[in-house]
Amino acid sequence: MIVIVVVVLVVAQGDGDEGTTSAPSKTVTDTTPREKTQDPRGERADLVGFRLDDRSAAGITNVWVVWTIKNSSSEKSDYSWDWEAVDAGGTRLADGSQLEINVQPGQTARGEYPTTLKSAKGIKLNITSFNRTASY
């Protein structure tokens, strides 16, 4: 487990992009292939959905992050990204790093992970770094 965390941290820092980008506001339907030349976000465009999911109606107390990755490259890829959840005043309430590996060209991968948040109301989700690398 420690090796995975170290790998995620090293890979996440590899692209040198320290800008903060808001997460997509909604999940994009995966029916139309996108050309990378048409999207100024580059590899970040592969993160087609990233949102908070409040599961309190199901009796689960924590809020989860849920994502969809669509590999638009021509090679099998690994993805790593860092995120933060902030309130309306800009205070960071939660943050984390996510990893999705071995995504084939054109393939869609979905994942989810619990957070320590108890509510998603009024919370903004930001992507603080994003990296795609070739899988081996």
Side-chain angles (χ1 to χ4, degrees), residues 35-67:
E35 295 294 324
K36 290 181 73 71
T37 57
Q38 295 177 348
D39 195 329
R41 296 179 302 158
E43 64 191 21
R44 285 189 187 191
D46 287 3
L47 183 63
V48 296
F50 190 63
R51 63 182 176 82
L52 294 173
D53 185 16
D54 184 350
R55 298 178 178 187
S56 59
I60 300 171
T61 58
N62 292 71
V63 174
W64 292 54
V65 290
V66 178
W67 63 86

Side-chain angles (χ1 to χ4, degrees), residues 37 67 72 101-102 104 123:
T37 57
W67 63 86
S72 63
I101 60 170
N102 298 321
Q104 298 293 331
I123 305 297

